[in-house]
Structures are given as C-alpha cells and as structure tokens.
CSV table of all heavy atoms in Angstrom, one decimal:
chain,number,residue,atom,x,y,z
E,217,GLU,N,-9.7,19.1,19.3
E,217,GLU,CA,-9.4,20.2,20.1
E,217,GLU,C,-10.0,21.5,19.5
E,217,GLU,O,-10.5,22.4,20.2
E,217,GLU,CB,-7.9,20.4,20.3
E,217,GLU,CG,-7.3,19.5,21.3
E,217,GLU,CD,-5.8,19.9,21.6
E,217,GLU,OE1,-5.2,20.5,20.7
E,217,GLU,OE2,-5.3,19.6,22.7
E,218,ILE,N,-9.9,21.6,18.2
E,218,ILE,CA,-10.4,22.8,17.5
E,218,ILE,C,-12.0,22.8,17.6
E,218,ILE,O,-12.5,23.9,17.9
E,218,ILE,CB,-10.1,22.7,16.0
E,218,ILE,CG1,-8.5,22.8,15.8
E,218,ILE,CG2,-10.8,23.8,15.2
E,218,ILE,CD1,-8.1,22.6,14.4
E,219,LEU,N,-12.6,21.7,17.5
E,219,LEU,CA,-14.1,21.6,17.6
E,219,LEU,C,-14.5,22.0,19.0
E,219,LEU,O,-15.5,22.7,19.2
E,219,LEU,CB,-14.5,20.2,17.2
E,219,LEU,CG,-16.0,20.0,17.1
E,219,LEU,CD1,-16.7,20.9,16.1
E,219,LEU,CD2,-16.3,18.5,16.7
E,220,GLU,N,-13.8,21.4,20.0
E,220,GLU,CA,-14.2,21.7,21.4
E,220,GLU,C,-14.0,23.2,21.7
E,220,GLU,O,-14.7,23.8,22.5
E,220,GLU,CB,-13.4,20.9,22.3
E,220,GLU,CG,-13.8,19.4,22.3
E,220,GLU,CD,-13.0,18.5,23.2
E,220,GLU,OE1,-11.8,18.8,23.4
E,220,GLU,OE2,-13.5,17.5,23.7
E,221,LYS,N,-12.9,23.8,21.1
E,221,LYS,CA,-12.7,25.2,21.3
E,221,LYS,C,-13.8,26.1,20.8
E,221,LYS,O,-14.3,27.0,21.4
E,221,LYS,CB,-11.3,25.6,20.7
E,221,LYS,CG,-11.0,27.1,20.9
E,221,LYS,CD,-9.6,27.4,20.3
E,221,LYS,CE,-9.2,28.8,20.6
E,221,LYS,NZ,-7.9,29.2,19.9
E,222,TRP,N,-14.3,25.7,19.5
E,222,TRP,CA,-15.4,26.5,19.0
E,222,TRP,C,-16.6,26.3,19.8
E,222,TRP,O,-17.4,27.3,20.0
E,222,TRP,CB,-15.7,26.0,17.5
E,222,TRP,CG,-14.8,26.6,16.5
E,222,TRP,CD1,-13.9,25.9,15.7
E,222,TRP,CD2,-14.7,28.0,16.1
E,222,TRP,NE1,-13.3,26.8,14.8
E,222,TRP,CE2,-13.7,28.1,15.1
E,222,TRP,CE3,-15.3,29.1,16.6
E,222,TRP,CZ2,-13.4,29.3,14.5
E,222,TRP,CZ3,-15.0,30.3,16.0
E,222,TRP,CH2,-14.0,30.4,14.9
E,223,TYR,N,-16.8,25.2,20.4
E,223,TYR,CA,-18.0,24.9,21.2
E,223,TYR,C,-17.9,25.4,22.6
E,223,TYR,O,-18.8,25.2,23.5
E,223,TYR,CB,-18.4,23.4,21.2
E,223,TYR,CG,-19.4,23.1,20.1
E,223,TYR,CD1,-19.1,23.2,18.8
E,223,TYR,CD2,-20.7,22.6,20.4
E,223,TYR,CE1,-20.0,22.9,17.8
E,223,TYR,CE2,-21.6,22.3,19.5
E,223,TYR,CZ,-21.2,22.5,18.1
E,223,TYR,OH,-22.2,22.2,17.2
E,224,SER,N,-16.8,26.1,22.9
E,224,SER,CA,-16.6,26.6,24.3
E,224,SER,C,-17.0,28.1,24.3
E,224,SER,O,-16.9,28.8,25.3
E,224,SER,CB,-15.2,26.4,24.8
E,224,SER,OG,-14.3,27.2,24.0
E,225,LYS,N,-17.4,28.7,23.1
E,225,LYS,CA,-17.6,30.1,23.1
E,225,LYS,C,-18.9,30.4,22.3
E,225,LYS,O,-19.4,29.6,21.5
E,225,LYS,CB,-16.5,30.8,22.4
E,225,LYS,CG,-16.2,30.3,20.9
E,225,LYS,CD,-15.0,31.0,20.3
E,225,LYS,CE,-13.7,30.5,20.8
E,225,LYS,NZ,-12.5,31.1,20.1
E,226,VAL,N,-19.5,31.6,22.6
E,226,VAL,CA,-20.7,32.0,21.9
E,226,VAL,C,-20.4,33.4,21.4
E,226,VAL,O,-20.7,34.4,22.1
E,226,VAL,CB,-21.9,32.0,22.8
E,226,VAL,CG1,-23.2,32.5,22.0
E,226,VAL,CG2,-22.2,30.7,23.4
E,227,PRO,N,-19.8,33.6,20.2
E,227,PRO,CA,-19.4,34.9,19.7
E,227,PRO,C,-20.6,35.7,19.3
E,227,PRO,O,-21.7,35.2,19.0
E,227,PRO,CB,-18.5,34.6,18.5
E,227,PRO,CG,-19.0,33.2,18.1
E,227,PRO,CD,-19.4,32.5,19.3
E,228,ASP,N,-20.4,37.0,19.3
E,228,ASP,CA,-21.5,37.9,18.9
E,228,ASP,C,-21.9,37.7,17.5
E,228,ASP,O,-23.1,37.7,17.1
E,228,ASP,CB,-21.1,39.4,19.1
E,228,ASP,CG,-21.0,39.8,20.6
E,228,ASP,OD1,-21.6,39.1,21.4
E,228,ASP,OD2,-20.2,40.7,20.9
E,229,ASP,N,-20.9,37.5,16.6
E,229,ASP,CA,-21.1,37.1,15.2
E,229,ASP,C,-20.7,35.7,15.0
E,229,ASP,O,-19.5,35.4,15.1
E,229,ASP,CB,-20.3,38.1,14.3
E,229,ASP,CG,-20.6,37.8,12.8
E,229,ASP,OD1,-21.4,36.8,12.5
E,229,ASP,OD2,-20.1,38.6,12.0
E,230,SER,N,-21.7,34.8,14.7
E,230,SER,CA,-21.4,33.4,14.7
E,230,SER,C,-21.0,32.9,13.3
E,230,SER,O,-20.8,31.7,13.1
E,230,SER,CB,-22.6,32.6,15.1
E,230,SER,OG,-22.9,32.8,16.5
E,231,ALA,N,-20.9,33.8,12.3
E,231,ALA,CA,-20.7,33.4,10.9
E,231,ALA,C,-19.5,32.5,10.7
E,231,ALA,O,-19.5,31.5,10.1
E,231,ALA,CB,-20.7,34.6,10.0
E,232,GLU,N,-18.3,33.0,11.3
E,232,GLU,CA,-17.1,32.3,11.1
E,232,GLU,C,-17.2,30.9,11.9
E,232,GLU,O,-16.7,29.9,11.4
E,232,GLU,CB,-15.9,33.1,11.7
E,232,GLU,CG,-14.6,32.4,11.4
E,232,GLU,CD,-13.4,33.1,12.1
E,232,GLU,OE1,-13.6,34.1,12.7
E,232,GLU,OE2,-12.3,32.6,11.9
E,233,LYS,N,-17.7,30.9,13.1
E,233,LYS,CA,-17.9,29.7,13.8
E,233,LYS,C,-18.7,28.7,13.1
E,233,LYS,O,-18.3,27.5,13.0
E,233,LYS,CB,-18.6,30.0,15.2
E,233,LYS,CG,-18.8,28.8,16.0
E,233,LYS,CD,-19.5,29.1,17.3
E,233,LYS,CE,-19.9,27.9,18.1
E,233,LYS,NZ,-20.5,28.2,19.4
E,234,ILE,N,-19.8,29.1,12.5
E,234,ILE,CA,-20.7,28.2,11.7
E,234,ILE,C,-19.9,27.6,10.5
E,234,ILE,O,-19.9,26.4,10.3
E,234,ILE,CB,-21.9,28.9,11.3
E,234,ILE,CG1,-22.8,29.2,12.5
E,234,ILE,CG2,-22.7,28.0,10.3
E,234,ILE,CD1,-24.0,30.1,12.2
E,235,GLN,N,-19.2,28.5,9.8
E,235,GLN,CA,-18.4,28.1,8.7
E,235,GLN,C,-17.3,27.0,9.0
E,235,GLN,O,-17.2,26.0,8.4
E,235,GLN,CB,-17.8,29.3,8.0
E,235,GLN,CG,-17.0,28.9,6.7
E,235,GLN,CD,-16.3,30.1,6.1
E,235,GLN,OE1,-16.5,31.3,6.6
E,235,GLN,NE2,-15.5,29.9,5.1
E,236,GLN,N,-16.6,27.3,10.1
E,236,GLN,CA,-15.5,26.4,10.5
E,236,GLN,C,-16.0,25.1,11.0
E,236,GLN,O,-15.5,24.0,10.7
E,236,GLN,CB,-14.7,27.1,11.6
E,236,GLN,CG,-13.9,28.3,11.1
E,236,GLN,CD,-12.9,28.0,10.1
E,236,GLN,OE1,-12.2,27.0,10.1
E,236,GLN,NE2,-12.7,28.9,9.1
E,237,VAL,N,-17.1,25.1,11.8
E,237,VAL,CA,-17.6,23.9,12.3
E,237,VAL,C,-18.2,23.0,11.2
E,237,VAL,O,-18.1,21.8,11.2
E,237,VAL,CB,-18.6,24.2,13.5
E,237,VAL,CG1,-19.4,22.9,13.9
E,237,VAL,CG2,-17.9,24.8,14.7
E,238,LYS,N,-19.0,23.7,10.3
E,238,LYS,CA,-19.5,23.0,9.2
E,238,LYS,C,-18.4,22.3,8.4
E,238,LYS,O,-18.6,21.2,7.9
E,238,LYS,CB,-20.3,23.9,8.3
E,238,LYS,CG,-21.7,24.2,8.8
E,238,LYS,CD,-22.5,25.1,7.9
E,238,LYS,CE,-22.8,24.5,6.6
E,238,LYS,NZ,-23.7,25.3,5.7
E,239,SER,N,-17.3,23.0,8.2
E,239,SER,CA,-16.2,22.4,7.5
E,239,SER,C,-15.7,21.1,8.2
E,239,SER,O,-15.4,20.1,7.5
E,239,SER,CB,-15.1,23.4,7.4
E,239,SER,OG,-14.0,22.9,6.7
E,240,ILE,N,-15.6,21.2,9.5
E,240,ILE,CA,-15.1,20.0,10.2
E,240,ILE,C,-16.2,18.9,10.1
E,240,ILE,O,-15.8,17.7,9.8
E,240,ILE,CB,-14.9,20.3,11.7
E,240,ILE,CG1,-13.8,21.3,11.9
E,240,ILE,CG2,-14.7,19.1,12.6
E,240,ILE,CD1,-13.6,21.8,13.3
E,241,PHE,N,-17.4,19.2,10.2
E,241,PHE,CA,-18.5,18.2,10.1
E,241,PHE,C,-18.4,17.5,8.7
E,241,PHE,O,-18.5,16.3,8.5
E,241,PHE,CB,-19.9,18.8,10.2
E,241,PHE,CG,-20.3,19.2,11.6
E,241,PHE,CD1,-21.5,19.9,11.8
E,241,PHE,CD2,-19.5,18.8,12.7
E,241,PHE,CE1,-21.8,20.3,13.1
E,241,PHE,CE2,-19.9,19.2,14.0
E,241,PHE,CZ,-21.1,19.9,14.2
E,242,SER,N,-18.2,18.4,7.7
E,242,SER,CA,-18.1,17.8,6.3
E,242,SER,C,-16.9,16.9,6.1
E,242,SER,O,-17.0,15.8,5.5
E,242,SER,CB,-18.0,19.0,5.3
E,242,SER,OG,-19.2,19.7,5.3
E,243,SER,N,-15.8,17.3,6.7
E,243,SER,CA,-14.6,16.5,6.5
E,243,SER,C,-14.7,15.2,7.2
E,243,SER,O,-14.0,14.2,6.8
E,243,SER,CB,-13.3,17.3,7.1
E,243,SER,OG,-13.4,17.3,8.5
E,244,LEU,N,-15.5,15.1,8.2
E,244,LEU,CA,-15.7,13.8,9.0
E,244,LEU,C,-17.0,13.1,8.5
E,244,LEU,O,-17.4,12.1,9.2
E,244,LEU,CB,-15.7,14.1,10.5
E,244,LEU,CG,-14.4,14.7,11.0
E,244,LEU,CD1,-14.6,15.2,12.5
E,244,LEU,CD2,-13.3,13.7,11.0
E,245,LYS,N,-17.6,13.6,7.4
E,245,LYS,CA,-18.8,12.9,6.9
E,245,LYS,C,-19.9,12.8,7.9
E,245,LYS,O,-20.6,11.8,7.9
E,245,LYS,CB,-18.4,11.6,6.3
E,245,LYS,CG,-17.4,11.6,5.2
E,245,LYS,CD,-17.2,10.3,4.5
E,245,LYS,CE,-16.1,10.4,3.4
E,245,LYS,NZ,-16.4,11.4,2.4
E,246,ALA,N,-20.1,13.8,8.7
E,246,ALA,CA,-21.1,13.8,9.7
E,246,ALA,C,-22.5,13.8,9.1
E,246,ALA,O,-23.4,13.2,9.6
E,246,ALA,CB,-21.0,15.0,10.7
E,247,ALA,N,-22.7,14.6,8.0
E,247,ALA,CA,-24.0,14.6,7.3
E,247,ALA,C,-24.4,13.3,6.8
E,247,ALA,O,-25.5,12.8,6.9
E,247,ALA,CB,-24.0,15.7,6.2
E,248,GLU,N,-23.4,12.6,6.2
E,248,GLU,CA,-23.7,11.2,5.6
E,248,GLU,C,-24.0,10.3,6.7
E,248,GLU,O,-24.9,9.4,6.5
E,248,GLU,CB,-22.4,10.7,4.8
E,248,GLU,CG,-22.2,11.5,3.5
E,248,GLU,CD,-21.3,12.7,3.7
E,248,GLU,OE1,-21.2,13.2,4.9
E,248,GLU,OE2,-20.8,13.3,2.7
E,249,LYS,N,-23.3,10.3,7.8
E,249,LYS,CA,-23.6,9.4,8.9
E,249,LYS,C,-25.0,9.7,9.5
E,249,LYS,O,-25.7,8.8,9.9
E,249,LYS,CB,-22.5,9.6,10.0
E,249,LYS,CG,-22.7,8.6,11.1
E,249,LYS,CD,-22.4,7.1,10.6
E,249,LYS,CE,-22.4,6.1,11.8
E,249,LYS,NZ,-22.2,4.7,11.3
E,250,THR,N,-25.4,11.0,9.6
E,250,THR,CA,-26.7,11.4,10.1
E,250,THR,C,-27.8,10.8,9.2
E,250,THR,O,-28.8,10.3,9.6
E,250,THR,CB,-26.8,12.9,10.3
E,250,THR,OG1,-25.7,13.4,11.1
E,250,THR,CG2,-28.1,13.3,10.9
E,251,THR,N,-27.5,11.0,7.9
E,251,THR,CA,-28.5,10.5,6.9
E,251,THR,C,-28.6,9.0,7.0
E,251,THR,O,-29.8,8.5,6.9
E,251,THR,CB,-28.0,10.9,5.5
E,251,THR,OG1,-27.9,12.3,5.4
E,251,THR,CG2,-29.0,10.4,4.4
E,252,GLU,N,-27.6,8.3,7.2
E,252,GLU,CA,-27.6,6.9,7.4
E,252,GLU,C,-28.5,6.5,8.6
E,252,GLU,O,-29.4,5.6,8.5
E,252,GLU,CB,-26.2,6.3,7.7
E,252,GLU,CG,-26.1,4.8,7.9
E,252,GLU,CD,-24.7,4.4,8.2
E,252,GLU,OE1,-23.8,4.8,7.5
E,252,GLU,OE2,-24.5,3.8,9.3
E,253,GLN,N,-28.4,7.2,9.7
E,253,GLN,CA,-29.2,6.9,10.9
E,253,GLN,C,-30.7,7.3,10.6
E,253,GLN,O,-31.6,6.6,11.0
E,253,GLN,CB,-28.7,7.7,12.1
E,253,GLN,CG,-27.4,7.2,12.6
E,253,GLN,CD,-27.6,5.8,13.2
E,253,GLN,OE1,-28.5,5.5,14.0
E,253,GLN,NE2,-26.7,4.9,12.8
E,254,ILE,N,-30.9,8.4,9.9
E,254,ILE,CA,-32.3,8.8,9.5
E,254,ILE,C,-33.0,7.7,8.8
E,254,ILE,O,-34.1,7.3,9.1
E,254,ILE,CB,-32.3,10.1,8.7
E,254,ILE,CG1,-31.8,11.3,9.5
E,254,ILE,CG2,-33.6,10.3,8.0
E,254,ILE,CD1,-31.5,12.5,8.6
E,255,ASN,N,-32.2,7.1,7.8
E,255,ASN,CA,-32.8,6.0,7.0
E,255,ASN,C,-33.0,4.8,7.8
E,255,ASN,O,-34.0,4.0,7.6
E,255,ASN,CB,-31.9,5.8,5.8
E,255,ASN,CG,-32.0,6.9,4.8
E,255,ASN,OD1,-33.0,7.6,4.7
E,255,ASN,ND2,-30.9,7.1,4.1
E,256,ILE,N,-32.1,4.5,8.8
E,256,ILE,CA,-32.3,3.3,9.6
E,256,ILE,C,-33.6,3.4,10.4
E,256,ILE,O,-34.4,2.4,10.4
E,256,ILE,CB,-31.1,3.1,10.5
E,256,ILE,CG1,-29.9,2.6,9.8
E,256,ILE,CG2,-31.4,2.1,11.7
E,256,ILE,CD1,-28.6,2.6,10.6
E,257,TYR,N,-33.8,4.5,11.0
E,257,TYR,CA,-35.0,4.6,11.9
E,257,TYR,C,-36.3,4.8,11.0
E,257,TYR,O,-37.4,4.3,11.4
E,257,TYR,CB,-34.9,5.8,12.8
E,257,TYR,CG,-34.1,5.5,14.0
E,257,TYR,CD1,-32.7,5.8,14.1
E,257,TYR,CD2,-34.6,4.8,15.1
E,257,TYR,CE1,-31.9,5.4,15.2
E,257,TYR,CE2,-33.8,4.4,16.2
E,257,TYR,CZ,-32.5,4.7,16.2
E,257,TYR,OH,-31.7,4.4,17.3
C-alpha cells in the first residue's frame, strides 16, 4: 500500500519519494533479484 501510494503521485521535489521507495526496494532485496536476472540473461 505504501509503495502504491508513492507511485500514485509525482511531487515537485522527488527527493523524499526516491529515498522512501529505495528503502522499500532494499528491504525486499529488489537489487539482488535484479542482479540475479541480469546474470541469468
């Protein structure tokens, strides 16, 4: 819900949005999963 809320808006200053979304990505190991797919292909 938090992630979808951030992706429902385009604020004038995106700094906080970027920080919060990156934090969610990190907690869910999105970078590691992406790297795994990069290596597979």
